Amino acid sequence: MQTERVTFLTSRDQKAALDAFAASHGQSVGHVVREATSQYLAQGDGDDERALAALTREVDAAVPRIRADLNQAIASIEQANRAVDAILTGVAGKA
């Protein structure tokens, strides 16, 4: 594997924390930084997660309205069926 050098500046406190974290995990600072950046890049910018969360909230809010509308439609269809049955029964009774 061919490698490239990356240099970044940080505060003394953050550098000390990074050194301590790497040492406590038996890893080099370079390894910790490579792993952290790999995970960060793999996560992306979070737009997909935010969009999915927003869509989920919209669906959660819409489901009760959809159920109510379906129940109303079913009731209307049942009422129409009863009216048609009454008409057909009346016509059949006269024949």
Side-chain angles (χ1 to χ4, degrees), residues 53-85:
L55 182 58
T56 300
R57 285 190 300 274
E58 288 184 35
V59 169
D60 287 345
V63 166
R65 292 190 312 268
I66 292 168
R67 283 187 176 146
D69 289 347
L70 286 172
N71 287 335
Q72 184 178 3
I74 290 168
S76 294
I77 290 169
E78 289 172 346
Q79 182 180 5
N81 284 342
R82 286 190 298 273
V84 168
D85 287 345

Side-chain angles (χ1 to χ4, degrees), residues 35-55:
E35 288 297 311
T37 54
S38 293
Q39 290 178 18
Y40 181 81
L41 293 173
Q43 289 176 3
D45 60 7
D47 282 345
D48 290 342
E49 289 82 9
R50 283 190 291 275
L52 182 58
L55 182 58

Side-chain angles (χ1 to χ4, degrees), residues 14-38:
Q14 192 174 20
K15 173 69 165 85
L18 184 57
D19 288 337
F21 180 88
S24 71
H25 288 84
Q27 299 171 338
S28 69
V29 170
H31 178 79
V32 170
V33 171
R34 281 189 296 277
E35 288 297 311
T37 54
S38 293

